[in-house]
Amino acid sequence: MKKGFIVAFLAFSMAAMAQTVTPLSVELSSFNLDSLRTLYITEPAMYRASLEVLEQSVNRDMAAVTKAKKELKDEQAHAKELANALKAAEKMVAKLKSLYGQEEKELKSMQKTVEKQQKAVGKYKELNQETREGYQDFLRAQDKGLSYSLRDIADRQRAIADLEASVQKGQTRLQTFQQEIAQKAADLNVFDTRLKTRMTTLKNEQKAAKKMQ
């Protein structure tokens, strides 16, 4: 029964396991050099100052993306660990199903042997009562023990079936988790590329602005 309890506990743990990616909260600041250039076309100093403010904004966005990348890295590592855990659980389920099936087969075989022995003892008419009853008590005890063992293994088989269902649910949840991770990685890649382009454009604009009178 102890094994059955452990398997049932694992099944409950798998069922309770929910995985979700932390939503991407990065929002890129507005970036419009044409508007700034038009606004401060006659005020070079103000234009250069506005470019510095814009650079600070881009740097903050880049810092936010860097933080989100670290978060994503941990989520990716966790997804790998979870995949390994589910794979190990799947192997354990297969092993236990085979083990319990074989145990059940052996117990039923032994039970049939006991039944044959119980029928056979009735044919021995010349056995004295003490011998007959002693042997019958022995066979009844065996039968009782085997029946208990079969009930126990039935409980364990139900528990392992629950665990198998939970592992399957866990694999489905893992797939969703991995899809969320992939989408987050793609979004961060877009943000990262956009910010690098913005910074390059901004640096070139700042160089040009320094030449303005």
Side-chain angles (χ1 to χ4, degrees), residues 24-121:
L24 192 59
S25 59
V26 178
E27 292 185 11
L28 301 187
S29 305
S30 59
F31 186 89
N32 194 325
L33 287 179
D34 292 335
S35 295
L36 284 177
R37 195 181 297 112
T38 300
L39 183 63
Y40 297 113
I41 192 169
T42 59
E43 302 177 74
M46 288 293 293
Y47 183 49
R48 288 191 290 269
S50 68
L51 290 177
E52 289 179 4
V53 172
L54 188 56
E55 181 181 8
Q56 292 173 2
S57 178
V58 173
N59 281 328
R60 283 194 297 270
D61 290 344
M62 293 180 93
V65 168
T66 298
K67 182 179 178 181
K69 282 182 179 180
K70 291 179 179 178
E71 182 181 84
L72 175 66
K73 187 176 180 180
D74 284 349
E75 289 169 339
Q76 290 170 327
H78 176 63
K80 288 182 180 180
E81 289 294 330
L82 181 56
N84 289 336
L86 287 168
K87 186 176 181 180
E90 189 175 25
K91 287 183 178 180
M92 184 185 71
V93 165
K95 185 176 181 180
L96 288 177
K97 281 180 70 176
S98 176
L99 180 65
Y100 293 166
Q102 183 61 32
E103 187 177 351
E104 181 186 33
K105 183 178 178 181
E106 291 175 1
L107 287 169
K108 286 183 176 180
S109 177
M110 290 174 65
Q111 196 175 48
K112 287 181 180 179
T113 299
V114 170
E115 289 174 357
K116 288 180 182 179
Q117 291 170 336
Q118 286 173 327
K119 291 178 181 179
V121 73

Side-chain angles (χ1 to χ4, degrees), residues 4 14 18-19 29 40 51 69 83 96 158 160 177 200 202:
M14 287 287 183
Q19 310 297 314
S29 305
Y40 297 113
L51 290 177
K69 282 182 179 180
L96 288 177
R158 282 191 291 271
I160 204 68
F177 187 54
T200 298
L202 183 58

